[in-house]
Amino acid sequence: MDIRLGDGRLSPSYALERRDVQLWGLVIVAMLADIGLTIYGLKQGLLERNPVMLFGLDLFGYAALAFLKAPALLIGLAGWLLLPRHLGRLNLAGLAVPWIGAVGVNLWVVL
């Protein structure tokens, strides 16, 4: 839904909301790619190096990958909701960047 000003331009609030959706999309895609590539690598015989994740995998299997990432998502959500808009977005970027890095490392190791 477009919110247009009297002169036909899109309102700044619409652009800001769209940016939030894009950032959340980036966070979710990066997290899912990290999980997917980790599962793929483990099935190929690669080893998990994170001791916390290794312990979780031993206890809960692949579900631990999502379960142990959930607190980061909840903290990101809380920051996004509670911080001023620009800091909330910085918070989302702070979630996305490490996961994008993990995806890059996973790709490098898997390939």
Side-chain angles (χ1 to χ4, degrees), residues 30 34 92-104:
D34 179 30
L92 291 180
L95 273 177
V97 168
W99 276 329
I100 291 169
V103 168

Side-chain angles (χ1 to χ4, degrees), residues 24-62:
W24 272 112
L26 182 62
V27 167
I28 298 299
V29 166
M31 182 191 68
L32 292 175
D34 179 30
I35 291 171
L37 284 168
T38 300
I39 291 171
Y40 177 78
L42 291 171
K43 287 183 176 183
Q44 299 303 311
L46 298 174
L47 301 175
E48 175 62 53
R49 297 285 185 166
N50 179 340
V52 174
M53 192 61 73
L54 189 57
F55 179 73
L57 286 167
D58 285 342
L59 287 178
F60 304 109
Y62 295 135

